[in-house]
Amino acid sequence: MFRATLKSLLARKLRLILSGLAVVLGVMFVSGAFVLTDTLGRSFDAVFADGFSEIDVNVAGKPKVAVNEMEGEQVAAPLPAATVDRVKQVPGVADAVGVVNADGARLIGSNGKVVTSFGPPQLGENWTGESELLRLREGRAPQADDEIVINAGLAQAAKVKVGERVGVLTAFESKRRDFTLVGLFGYSGDRDSIGGVNEVMFTTPVAQKLMLGTPDTFSSITVTAAGGVTPEALRDDVAGALGADFDVKTGEQVAADQAAGLKEGLQFFNRILLGFAAVALLVGTFLILNTFSIIVAQRTRELALMRAIGASRRQVIGSVVLEAIAVGLIASVLGLAAGIGIGALLAWVFGNLAGGLTLAGLGVPAAAVIGAFSVGTVITVVAALLPALRASRIPPIAAMQDVATPDRPLTKITVAGGLVTAVGAVLLFLGLSGNAGGQTLPTILGGVLFAFIGVALLTPLISRPVVSLLGAIFAWSVPGKLGRLNSGRNPRRTAITAAALMVGIALVTGVTVILDSAKGSISALAQDNIKAELVIAGVQGGPRPPSFDPSVLEKAAAIPGVQLADGEYGDMVKIDGQSTWAGASSDDAALQQIFGAKATAGDISRLAPGQLLISSDTATSRNLSVGSTVTVQPQRGEARTYTVTGIYESSQLLNPVTLPAEAAREFTVPQPIQGFVQLAPGTSVSAVQPQVEALVADSPEVSVADRDAFIEQQAGQLDGLLTMIQILLALAIVIAVLGIVNTLALSVLERTRELGLLRAIGLRRAQTMRMITVEAVVISVFGALLGVVVGTGLGAAVVEALKDEGITDLILPWSQMGIFLGLAAIVGVVAAVLPAIRAARINVLGAIAHD
């Protein structure tokens, strides 16, 4: 049986290669994800280990508010200069140096635009001298208040040279400030930067003022151990001397912590890639199932003959499963190789986007190898198991009959499909309604999986009437009629082929419905509630939002025709020990006059020092009312007690907590991050906008737009996310196209004698090709139609569940759904090319004699 199986496998190489491609693509995603995260993880380890290699012990203040990367920027408490002297007096300390190191120093390049960074921070630091790691390459160290040095990588990106005057935006001054560039520095190993970080170094007093906002303070203290003192022992001694308010770690610990934070973000990206790999493998399962079903049907007589000469049912099952294992192993090897290449390519792209991250050597972790072979082999064997069981039931008498594949009743598969679909619907309901017991995401994903499988099982029931209806479009010619009949002759095969395409189209359609509904809801909400004609804002590309100088608002308010100019601030704070987002307005009237806030209790028209306003949802969740007192801990400064003086109706445009304007001085970004200019009735926007634009000329990160353009810009940020998802899901659609090609190719082999007879009675080659093409187009459009319907349903369910989150308008992307159906027809034509050519080239006499 083993030799017979091997010969059968080698005799059918083409059809197994096509089914194996699906596994290759899915495994490629799995192994590529692990290779990428392993390579980048080791690269970040090396970067931080190098960056902290000369530090024995690091002393920093503990953050007052815990902030994750999705919420914004976490700020450590600044250290008074006197702390440096305290550290120097600890036994075992050879030297202690105060360091200013904070994100937010943005250099303005020679083109007048801010040099951006996609990921790495833009640090403002104090110059502390050269070391074995850092060396000046050109010029000298900064000595005057208007002098800076920058790393060579930033100089190259900004296209600036030593001796030039350059503009810099800093953490506490969003208005351009000019400095003389007096030096460029680099790092050991001829590196222009470490990890693509942009660095601007000032004199210590200037760095303290511009990056920390407070003189005589430091971000951290680097400590050098005296001879014979280990970093661990010195860490413990320094920590004991300073007390619990300080975070004291060895250089190795700091490097590991910094790398761990970035690795956590990489794991999130890894899970996204694995999610798309799961989709690809789900689609591939349909393809493999269909392939082996057709193979078993074609080998009915061969397998029956084996049964007749003594092969047991177990041996027949083993024969089919053995073929599946062979296909899975070969596909796993190829998929692993492709995944290593894809992982290396993505790591290279990431390294360049990150500003020249030096990549560690390419590694293949055990998880990539184990995942590749486990997933590839298991998926293939599971998909082939049902056809194998079906093969074992072939009676020996079939060896003496013509090969035939009579269609079986659809009762069992329909009942199973209904039950699986019902399970999917229940899981989706539990997940989307928030009743999943803390397992919302797994419940929703499980519901989507069961829904797809259930619909796929129900597809044979509806395939014949729907395919017949679609095929009627082509029934005006003989090839069209034949193609229509062929596509509907085996509902199961048609359904499985179409289901593979359905999954990809359904996911793309569902995501499009959700994101378009979100965009529409945001736009409608903003149009109804923002009563300002002009908006000052920038596009946020990192944890720190663009900001501008507060004086802009005072000058804008003085422009003739301006009724109100408001600046909005925001940051994460702690309220009674719980982190939450808080905002502040430069003008108390803006809350009602610009954003249309409606009071539900108290007075929301004004805020005095020591008072705050809260939304109705916040009041309910925290059990607060007018007169309640709360303790607010900002990222900078000390905790203060505030009294609730007003409650406003919750809205997606309003902050859960509104603090008085002076509280913004202790936010991470103490400048306004958005500005709203309301004009008096009858004032022309075109007359005022140029004047406001002139006021922000020294803040190149922000621009002035009318309300419609601002709303479009904010909603348009979802377009990039949609494009990325569509690109990744395109892989599933590619696999589905392979499925159509495979099904048609195997169908042509199966119908060799039939095609010969059709040719013999007058069907020309061109007509044969049109017949195969019609069959492919009908199956493809059927799958796309299913996908559009299922995706619309899933998208609508998610939108309904997100009503409380502000997505209130269900928007169906009719034009895109039409495009999907049109592309499906094109996909059908492309998929039919090779099978149609093969069918047209069949030798008529040989085909008639084919057994």
Side-chain angles (χ1 to χ4, degrees), residues 21 40 156 241 290 301 380 409 415 470 592 652 683 808:
L21 277 175
L40 292 180
Q156 184 177 2
N290 210 20
R301 196 167 182 180
T380 309
V415 171
L470 292 173
Q592 292 177 292
Q652 295 298 314
T683 303
T808 55

Side-chain angles (χ1 to χ4, degrees), residues 29 269 272-273 276 723-733:
F29 247 138
F269 185 59
I272 291 176
L273 289 178
F276 284 105
T723 300
M724 182 188 72
I725 292 174
Q726 288 175 337
I727 290 172
L728 291 173
L729 287 176
L731 177 64
I733 297 174

Side-chain angles (χ1 to χ4, degrees), residues 247-500:
D247 196 0
V248 184
K249 296 179 180 179
T250 65
E252 289 184 358
Q253 286 179 310
V254 176
D257 290 345
Q258 295 282 352
L262 287 171
K263 285 182 178 179
E264 185 177 348
L266 288 178
Q267 287 303 316
F268 175 74
F269 185 59
N270 188 46
R271 287 191 286 269
I272 291 176
L273 289 178
L274 291 177
F276 284 105
V279 173
L281 289 169
L282 175 63
V283 175
T285 301
F286 288 113
L287 193 159
I288 298 165
L289 175 63
N290 210 20
T291 299
F292 277 91
S293 296
I294 297 173
I295 289 173
V296 168
Q298 290 178 354
R299 295 173 59 194
T300 297
R301 196 167 182 180
E302 173 190 329
L303 294 171
L305 185 60
M306 287 184 179
R307 292 293 313 282
I309 62 176
S312 65
R313 291 185 63 181
R314 180 178 297 178
Q315 285 179 310
V316 172
I317 293 175
S319 174
V320 177
V321 171
L322 185 60
E323 287 190 21
I325 292 174
V327 172
L329 287 175
I330 294 172
S332 296
V333 171
L334 296 176
L336 176 60
I340 293 172
I342 289 295
L345 176 63
L346 290 176
W348 178 81
V349 170
F350 186 94
N352 281 274
L353 287 177
L357 173 66
T358 302
L359 295 176
L362 182 66
V364 183
V369 179
I370 295 171
F373 283 95
S374 300
V375 169
T377 305
V378 170
I379 289 292
T380 309
V381 171
V382 168
L385 197 56
L386 283 178
L389 292 172
R390 196 177 305 138
S392 70
R393 299 191 183 105
I394 296 174
I397 193 67
M400 295 177 288
Q401 300 173 344
D402 289 334
V403 176
T405 56
D407 209 13
R408 290 163 289 145
L410 300 175
T411 306
K412 291 183 180 179
I413 195 171
T414 301
V415 171
L419 292 174
V420 173
T421 304
V423 171
V426 170
L427 290 175
L428 283 171
F429 173 78
L430 292 175
L432 296 174
S433 62
N435 297 314
Q439 299 295 319
T440 301
L441 183 59
T443 303
I444 292 175
L445 292 177
V448 171
L449 178 62
F450 275 93
F452 279 140
I453 296 174
V455 171
L457 293 174
L458 291 173
T459 301
L461 182 67
I462 62 173
S463 67
R464 184 165 285 167
V466 175
V467 164
S468 179
L469 183 62
L470 292 173
I473 301 172
F474 306 97
W476 49 270
S477 66
V478 171
K481 290 178 181 178
L482 290 173
R484 172 192 180 188
L485 294 172
N486 287 336
S487 59
R489 69 160 62 176
N490 193 325
R492 292 171 185 266
R493 183 180 303 175
T494 299
I496 294 174
T497 306

Side-chain angles (χ1 to χ4, degrees), residues 55-61 79-88 93 95-100 217-224 238 242 246-249 254:
I55 297 176
D56 291 324
V57 172
N58 186 80
V59 179
L79 304 176
T83 309
V84 179
D85 296 328
R86 290 177 60 189
V87 172
K88 286 182 178 180
V93 173
D95 192 18
V97 178
V99 175
V100 175
T217 57
F218 296 99
S219 306
S220 61
I221 301 170
T222 59
V223 186
T224 304
V238 172
L242 294 181
F246 297 87
D247 196 0
V248 184
K249 296 179 180 179
V254 176

